[in-house]
Amino acid sequence: MPSPKSDAANEVAKEKSQEKRAIPKHDKLQKKGAVPLLGNATLARAVNTSAQRRDIPDRRTYTKTQNNAHPFAKFENLREKGLEIGIPGPADTVTQDKGGVRSALAEVGIGYIGWTQDTFVQNVLPNAARSTIANQLYSGQNPTFSTYNFMMVTYDLSRFGIPDGQIIVGTEQQAFSWQPGGPDRWGINEIAYYQTFFDRKLELKAGYLRNSYEFAGTVVGGNAGASVFGPSSNVLYQGGMSSNQTPTPALNLRWNFDDRLYTKGSIQRSISPGGVFTEVTQNPTGLNGTTPNTGILLLDETGYLNKAAAGSPQTWLRAGAGYNSSNYTSLALPNNRTNPNTFYYIAADRQFWQTDAQGVASRGIYGGFSVMGAPSDLNKVTQYDELRVYVIGPFDSRPSDQISIVATDTCWSNLAVNAALVKGNLVHWDSKAISGTYTAHLAPGIYTSVGLTYINNPTSITYTPQTGHALNFSFSTSVFF
């Protein structure tokens, strides 16, 4: 089933639109007494609403329904489980089931999803202190290109009697024109085992995990395709959380009190205290069990998720905290290392208005906020605040597009700022930004995002008069296979 966030409007509305386009054929089938075709997300709700909320299929209903409902139903159980963000399903891909390849693999328990994301960013303000790529200070100072390419494969273990059992193996390749944005790498992004216990009350996931996809919900709108430019905070990564770029060994356990209330914990090998760039440089393939100065990250998130339904707007509240035993460089005593490090986050998203409650309930206007924090003696970013407003399915003619407006404030450590000030640098205490993004769902599996972001002080702590402001134009495409 789709993850708690994967019932996003992009896929739901796309399926709904496909149904509308197929009305003549649909009517003929109904006249013959046949079962009408259902959209992928519609099927998911029909199968088991409560199980959908927990990202777990009701296998009895699924088995009964898959042969006489939607042709993509047989792939639902092969989508990756345990995620907090949504990745489009097979119906929302370029390849779908062309040539019957996906069906042939599904017969032996194998599922897959591949996607590529390419992004261009450039500061369009004049006098932006253009430099060589080697001396570039922030993304967009010069025209900046990046590409991410992923391939995920799943294997269904439930066929052997393991409740919701699944093996997930994934790889990621990335390349950047500005290396500090990356750097370039090719390696794994996940090797995991998943299953449930106690009638799906308990979910277990273990292996090399990317916890940024499983905690905090940092992607605006909750869907990987519809939110290419969803802002997120460095607080989580400097605190040690793993990501697509930096998978690490971890054990995740989630307890579902009911269909809405949950708590989820993780024991994870922290990424490098030096951050994502250092971790990737030291462990580009992602297969190393450890890197210098890393310890254990203990993480917990408790949340309440009520999915959108007719007359019932979506509400998602979550709060989490992390404790990291890694050896961090002290900002108070730069030549010394110390531990532990900690961080926290609180976030909320609420659907304020449903524009198509009886059709696609997730369409509408949303608002949300995030607050994150960390100690100033071990972290350059000590606080991150975000306010967001976004619209899913803004127009009847574009039911799976998305518009987002996001305002952020990143606050720097007073110790780090004072140290730079003593050296005679121009410094700033925070960096504020506001961004607007429109994401268009052009065709099954194809998304394009255009964004404009104004940033006050785009560099880290120190700056020059020429780098005090940026107006970054962004263009990105995501294609799913």
Side-chain angles (χ1 to χ4, degrees), residues 248-362:
T248 63
L251 169 66
N252 292 356
L253 294 172
R254 171 170 167 149
W255 180 261
N256 300 297
F257 296 99
D258 54 31
D259 294 337
R260 301 176 181 179
L261 185 63
Y262 67 90
T263 187
K264 185 173 184 177
S266 178
I267 303 175
Q268 177 209 309
R269 194 270 281 175
S270 169
I271 72 168
S272 172
V276 172
F277 184 90
T278 302
E279 175 72 24
V280 173
T281 301
Q282 295 173 344
N283 183 20
T285 65
L287 290 169
N288 294 348
T290 186
T291 54
N293 299 307
T294 56
I296 299 299
L297 171 64
L298 302 178
L299 178 64
D300 183 76
E301 174 181 304
T302 299
Y304 173 90
L305 174 63
N306 176 41
K307 290 297 299 178
S312 177
Q314 177 169 302
T315 300
W316 189 19
L317 311 174
R318 63 267 192 207
Y323 177 94
N324 195 329
S325 66
S326 300
N327 294 317
Y328 281 77
T329 299
S330 171
L331 297 179
L333 301 169
N335 295 323
N336 295 307
R337 286 188 174 271
T338 185
N339 55 43
N341 193 11
T342 59
F343 64 88
Y344 71 88
Y345 61 88
I346 301 170
D349 287 86
R350 169 71 175 177
Q351 185 180 18
F352 292 109
W353 184 31
Q354 292 182 312
T355 56
D356 189 13
Q358 301 305 318
V360 182
S362 56

Side-chain angles (χ1 to χ4, degrees), residues 2 16 36 46 51 57 111 128 153 186 191 199 210 225 239 329 345 376 389 441-442 448 475:
K16 185 177 180 66
V153 177
W186 178 79
I191 301 176
D199 193 25
R210 42 180 181 163
T329 299
Y345 61 88
S376 62
V389 177
H441 190 187
L442 301 179
T448 295
F475 178 82

Side-chain angles (χ1 to χ4, degrees), residues 72 75 89-103 105 112-115 151 443-446 479-481:
F72 290 96
F75 305 127
D92 191 11
T93 62
V94 173
T95 55
Q96 295 189 335
D97 192 25
K98 290 181 174 61
V101 174
R102 202 180 294 267
S103 290
L105 291 173
Y112 72 90
I113 183 75
W115 72 97
M151 184 67 187
I446 302 176
V479 181
F480 295 84
F481 303 93

Side-chain angles (χ1 to χ4, degrees), residues 140-186:
Q141 183 178 11
N142 297 316
T144 305
F145 302 88
S146 64
T147 181
Y148 294 88
N149 300 283
F150 308 89
M151 184 67 187
M152 308 295 297
V153 177
T154 66
Y155 184 70
D156 178 25
L157 295 174
S158 64
R159 57 179 50 217
F160 303 114
I162 300 173
D164 306 297
Q166 189 178 71
I167 293 175
I168 308 111
V169 178
T171 184
E172 184 240 28
Q173 181 270 333
Q174 62 185 39
F176 298 80
S177 62
W178 180 53
Q179 286 300 293
D184 297 350
R185 77 175 286 262
W186 178 79

Side-chain angles (χ1 to χ4, degrees), residues 11-29:
E11 188 168 352
V12 179
K14 179 189 73 60
E15 290 294 338
K16 185 177 180 66
S17 298
Q18 289 176 339
E19 294 167 29
K20 289 180 178 178
R21 288 194 296 270
I23 283 176
K25 184 177 180 181
H26 179 96
D27 288 344
K28 292 178 183 179
L29 290 173

Side-chain angles (χ1 to χ4, degrees), residues 418-480:
N418 286 330
L421 192 60
V422 168
K423 295 179 181 179
N425 294 310
L426 290 174
V427 300
H428 50 85
W429 298 90
D430 69 343
S431 177
K432 294 180 174 65
I434 183 166
S435 64
T437 304
Y438 188 98
T439 300
H441 190 187
L442 301 179
I446 302 176
Y447 296 81
T448 295
S449 293
V450 178
L452 199 62
T453 302
Y454 173 77
I455 310 170
N456 179 34
N457 297 318
T459 61
S460 173
I461 300 181
T462 62
Y463 71 100
T464 66
Q466 292 79 17
T467 60
H469 306 272
L471 184 62
N472 280 352
F473 167 78
S474 305
F475 178 82
S476 181
T477 60
S478 291
V479 181
F480 295 84

